[in-house]
Amino acid sequence: MEQSVEQTASHGHHRKSHHSDQTKANLMTRLNRIEGQIRGVKGMIEKDTYCDDVLNQIAAIQSALNSVGKMVLEGHMKSCVIERIQSGEHEVIDEILVTMNKLMK
């Protein structure tokens, strides 16, 4: 996330998302839950919990993060990307392809 902030700053643009208050609240709820799951994994490791149980919890966290990423990506495609294409900024296609490759690693 820091990299994209630097990239937009270096290009002289300051862009913002178009998330509705409801979407923002949903994302924050999901992220708070993920944050709690991560604290839980830290506690599991401190308590020497069986490795398979820890790995299953990590898999659940990864799935939850992917879900958040998909929500943000969908909103981005339906708002920011469409607006930029309509205004003639076709380089947004390359930008989104780079981002999607990062998400799919």
Side-chain angles (χ1 to χ4, degrees):
M1 199 160 224
E2 289 174 15
Q3 185 181 14
S4 60
V5 169
E6 290 170 10
Q7 286 175 343
T8 55
S10 68
H11 289 105
H13 298 99
H14 184 70
R15 297 192 180 110
K16 292 193 173 196
S17 68
H18 303 289
H19 301 299
S20 69
D21 289 342
Q22 182 180 357
T23 299
K24 233 187 269 193
N26 187 353
L27 289 169
M28 294 307 294
T29 298
R30 288 169 180 259
L31 290 168
N32 286 336
R33 192 175 305 131
I34 292 166
E35 192 175 30
Q37 287 177 296
I38 290 170
R39 281 193 302 271
V41 167
K42 288 171 70 177
M44 292 170 82
I45 289 171
E46 286 174 354
K47 295 173 187 163
D48 295 321
T49 302
Y50 184 60
C51 296
D52 192 62
D53 295 336
V54 174
L55 291 168
N56 280 305
Q57 191 60 35
I58 289 170
I61 293 167
Q62 287 174 326
S63 176
L65 268 176
N66 286 339
S67 177
V68 168
K70 286 176 192 173
M71 288 178 65
V72 173
L73 177 61
E74 181 180 341
H76 183 51
M77 298 286 288
K78 289 181 175 179
S79 61
C80 306
V81 173
I82 288 173
E83 287 174 12
R84 289 185 59 198
I85 289 171
Q86 288 172 342
S87 69
E89 296 179 55
H90 297 271
E91 66 273 11
V92 71
I93 299 296
D94 292 329
E95 178 187 281
I96 195 66
L97 289 171
V98 168
T99 299
M100 288 176 70
N101 280 327
K102 289 177 187 175
L103 283 171
M104 291 181 186
K105 278 188 179 178

